[in-house]
Every structure is written in structure tokens, then in C-alpha cells.
Amino acid sequence: MQTTLALEDLDTLGMKLQNLLNDIPVGIQCSLKEEKLIVLGQHPAGALSDPKQTLRYLERKIQSLQLHFTQQVRLYLRIAGQQQPYAHRFFVIQPPPPPPNPALCQPGTLAKKDEWIIPSDEELDALMRELMAPVYDELEPPSAYHDLGLAQVEPIEEETDIPTEAIAFLPPADLNFVWSEPDSQTPQKSRVNTKAILSAGVAALGVASGAYTLSRPCVVGSCPELSTAQGLSQESTQTVQSAKDAQDLASARQTLNQAIATLETIPMWSGRSQDAQQLIQTYESQGRNLDNLIAVEAIATAATEKTQAPLYSLDDWRSLHSLWKTAVNQLKKVSPESEFYDYAQAKLRDYQAVLTETEYRLQQEEAAQTSLDLAKQSIQLAEARRQIAQSVENWQLVQANWEVVVERLQAIPPGTLASVEAQRLLTAYQPELVQTRDRLQNEQSAANLFEQAKERAQIAQTAAQQSDWQMATSLWQQANAYAAQVPASSIYRNQADALMNSYQKAITQSQPSTQGASQQVSADLTTVCNRQLHACDLVAVNGAIQVRLSSVYVQAIAAARTSGNANLQNTFYQHQLLLKQNLESLATKYHLPVEVYDPSNALLARHLPQSSTTQTR
């Protein structure tokens, strides 16, 4: 069998079919794919009143041509401007019967009944064309021709019922179609008298029609086309049951198409026509179910390819989840009564497992993205608070924000899309948390020094109000020392500088008062120490009144203790008691402790202000 067809032959075939359509505005495309003749008719919307009749008419004309380069023919109709065809028709070209016996054509020769030779399809069809074409031209266009028993055309649903071959039309360039457009310049065929032609050809038409009728499959004798179609259907089902991919399903669909095409050769006047039509309806229903499975496999293939490629965004994961969910939902729609139910259930288990895993990953990716978004918000808040922080409490809030940032970024699972950016943000902002902690400790230390300086100054102010200038000066000096330790980078540095200025002024103002107090202490102590005996001398007034006992007084006390003279001992005892009382009075008067040293500068006693307990060595 010839398997190739030149481009010129396709062009000629398209023009011939175009001419057969007369004035119907349908452009014809012809292409040969895998030894199948594919004919696409394209027309404006609303141009055809009965697309089924047009397809049937085209089939009869192609059958009459007895093409030798193919057996299977696919007819499609499409509206101009649309990608998908809306109607189709498949059929198989029937081979011509053996040539008639020349002996039967001899004049006066009458063959016996069992020796009748049926003329070929070419002869019959040529005769019928010659006799009936003028009649049809006169009466009505091909779209209104009556059915001669051929299979009916089925509408193509928009999404799920597109035959495998129809996909080849998208785009048409892939099939190297050759267009044959309607020729508006073609003159109309000459009109003839309809009644005259009918009268002249009725006898010949009756003979030809009877021979043609008897030559169709399943008209006389057995009907192998039914068993052939059933065998092809079983083969298609077995192919589906063992199918591993979409290619196997496509092969099963092609086999089922062959079964339908075989049944369509059985004419309506055959006794098996009703059986054939029922099987066609069954197989076409199976074909639609099979097309759905093919579509599901195409979705699963797309999802698998998407899984193998890197996923760069959350939208990629959502798209992948949508593909698997669509595939699962389509498989769930397969009825238990369908011959493809077992296959659908096996695929459903596999795809459901993949869908479950995809849903988990999608949820993980969405949670990771949410954590990343919250971390970014915390980064913005931490940076804003850092810019305006003016207290320890402010820096504590800044540290809390950076801790939230780090915790949220660390909580993002590795391997997610968000984890890549999370690691980048951790590298950039984790040092901010360390620096904030150091800054907070620095500010807390500065705040502590600042508070101690203010406390010392407050006590110094109280001492100054009590004219305890020595104490006040000492405390202001301590306050000044605390303020000087506040770090230069601290928010308290400016306030500490202001305090230090005030403390220096206080110290300067208190020095004359301190000097005056020292002179008064010296005068009072001279009176106390020189009663009857010169008992002591003033050493210094520096935070305490330091007094040293004279060596003469110490020796006199020692001599009295060893003399054995009770009166003398009592006299020195009374003198020591009076000296002690006077020193305690000085401590209370000047709010300073009085320290008593012996001639060798050893501390003998310490008298505290306000009648505090005297400490002795």
C-alpha cells in the first residue's frame, strides 16, 4: 500500500473535495499523518445549517474516490478563528470488490443467481454521481442530503472529549495542511430538468442501488465487522489495564477508534445495524472516558515535570498542588461501572499519596513564609525603636524585638523556599541582637552610676543644710566621681555632665565653710583639752575630728594608777570621764566623729555624733 502522498496530490484532493461542496462556504485542509488522511473543514460561524449532513456527504465522496494511500480517514469541522474542532467523523475506506465477470456482460447471457457479480464501488458511485448529481444540484445543497446509513457525527465537548487526532490540529502548521478555499469565481453548474433526469435514470439507479446495497458489510452472510470491533474494544481495555503512561492510553484510544470506524462501515439497512449502533454508542462513551483518563495523565505528567524542576516561589507550590488535586478529583469521578475503574483506582491511590505529600509541603511553605513575613515586620519595628531609644526601658524593648526576629528566623524549617532568605536575614541581623544586649548592659551600668551620683548629692545637700560642711564636701566629691564613670556612649552622658558641673560648684562653695568649721573645732577643742591639765591636741579635721593625747597626760594617768593613792586615782578618773563627755559633745555639735589617738598615733577611741555608742580599742 502506498504510504506517502505528494504535496501536489494533497492540494488536488483538497480542491476536488472543495468543488464537490459546490457553493457551501467551507475551506478544506488535507494532511496525511501516520497513514491516516485527516480532512479539516473550516467555515464562518452560522454558515452550516446541518454539520452532520456535510460530514456524511464528504465521507461518501471520499469513499467514491477509492484512495489507495490510506484506509483510515478522520473528518473534522471547525469554525473560523477557533482552535478546536466542534464535530468529527471517523471511517475506513472500503476496498473495491472484484471486477465483474465479462461473461455476464455478453448480450443474451443470463447468469444464475449464485453467479451474480456485484459491480465495484467505483462503478456504482460513478454511475450514481452521473445520474444524481444534477438532481442534487437542482434540489438542495449537500448539507441537506439524506442519510444513506452511515454512522452519525458526534459533537466534541470543549475540554474533555477532544479526540487524540484532533489535537494534531493545534496548531495546524504541525500537520502541513494544504488549504483549498471556496472559489467564488466558479460558475454554477448548468441546471437540468429534474424530472427528465429522474425518469431517464430510474431504472439504472435501481440496478446500481441494489448492487451497491448488497455490496455493503454485514448485508448478506455473516458479519465479521462486529466481532472485529469487539475484539479491538477488548484489546483497548486490556491495554488500559496494563498501561503505564499516557502513551499507552493513547494507543488504547487509537485501537478503540479503529473499532468505532469498523462498526461505522455497517450500513443502516444491514440486519446488524442496530447492534452496530449500540456498540458505537458504547465505544464512544468508553472513548470519552478514556479521553478523560488521557487528560488526567497529561495533568499528572505536567505535575511530575514541575516537581522535578526547581520551585522558586510559593505560587509554584500552589500551582503544583492544584495540578495534583485536579488529577485526583477527575479520577474520583470514574464510575465503578466503568471498564476503566480499576485503572483509575490504582492511579488514584498513587496520586492521592503524592497530593497528601504536596499538601504537607505547601502548608510547610506557607507557614515558613508567614514566619518570614512576621520576622521582617519585627525587623522594621526593632530598627524604628532603636532610632528613638532614650532610656533603659527603650533598649529593653529593642532587645525584645531582635530576640523575636532571631527566634522566628531560626524556626523556619530548612529546605523550604523561605529558609534561604531566612538564613540571609539571620546573617545580617543576628549581630544586631548581640550589639543590643551589650548596649543594654552598658546603659544599665550607666543608669546605676547616675543614680548613685544623685543619691550622694542628695545626702550632701542634707549635710550642707546642717552646716556639716566636711560631710557635704566629701559626699559631693563621691557624687562627682560616680558621675564621671558614666560611659561617653551612654544616653546618660549629657545628664551626668550637667550633674558634675553642679557638684563642682557645690564643692567650691563648701570649701570656705569647711575652713571656718575647722577653726571653730580647733578653738572648742583647745578649751576642752586644756582644763587643769593639757590633755590633748587637735590633729586634723577631714571627715573626722582627729585628737591626739599628750604624752604628759598619758604618763600622769599611768603614775596615778600605780601610786596606790585612792584620791589621786579618783581625781584622774573624773578628769578622763569629763574629757570623754566633752569630746562626745563636739562630735554631736559638728556632726563628725571624734577619733582619739595615743602619742604613738594608735587609735584609742571613736566618739560618734548624736550620742552614738563610743567605740574603743
Side-chain angles (χ1 to χ4, degrees), residues 452-488:
Q452 290 189 34
K454 292 197 297 183
E455 289 176 2
R456 293 296 189 277
Q458 185 176 2
I459 298 173
Q461 185 67 30
T462 302
Q465 290 174 357
Q466 296 174 356
S467 299
D468 190 354
W469 300 107
Q470 291 285 346
M471 178 64 72
T473 301
S474 177
L475 290 171
W476 270 318
Q477 290 173 344
Q478 294 177 25
N480 190 70
Y482 280 124
Q485 297 178 46
V486 174

Side-chain angles (χ1 to χ4, degrees), residues 92-154:
V92 176
I93 294 178
Q94 297 299 315
N101 190 343
L104 296 178
C105 299
Q106 297 292 333
T109 303
L110 179 64
K112 297 180 181 179
K113 183 176 181 180
D114 56 355
E115 295 178 351
W116 285 1
I117 302 299
I118 299 174
S120 68
D121 285 350
E122 290 183 354
E123 295 171 327
L124 289 172
D125 195 71
L127 177 60
M128 292 175 68
R129 274 205 313 276
E130 180 179 354
L131 292 174
M132 299 303 299
V135 179
Y136 289 144
D137 290 342
E138 178 68 21
L139 293 178
E140 54 186 355
S143 60
Y145 286 175
H146 297 292
D147 186 16
L148 295 181
L150 301 176
Q152 294 185 352
V153 67
E154 292 293 337

Side-chain angles (χ1 to χ4, degrees), residues 353-404:
V354 179
L355 176 62
T356 301
E357 175 64 22
T358 305
E359 286 177 343
Y360 171 76
R361 285 298 306 273
L362 177 59
Q363 293 173 358
Q364 191 178 43
E365 292 289 345
E366 289 177 337
Q369 186 62 46
T370 299
S371 296
L372 182 61
D373 293 340
L374 292 175
K376 290 180 178 179
Q377 294 176 8
S378 298
I379 289 174
Q380 296 177 352
L381 184 59
E383 289 178 333
R385 285 179 170 172
R386 180 182 59 188
Q387 296 296 328
I388 62 174
Q390 294 296 325
S391 66
V392 172
E393 291 75 14
N394 294 152
W395 280 104
Q396 287 174 341
L397 288 176
V398 175
Q399 175 178 298
N401 282 130
W402 285 123
E403 287 175 347
V404 170

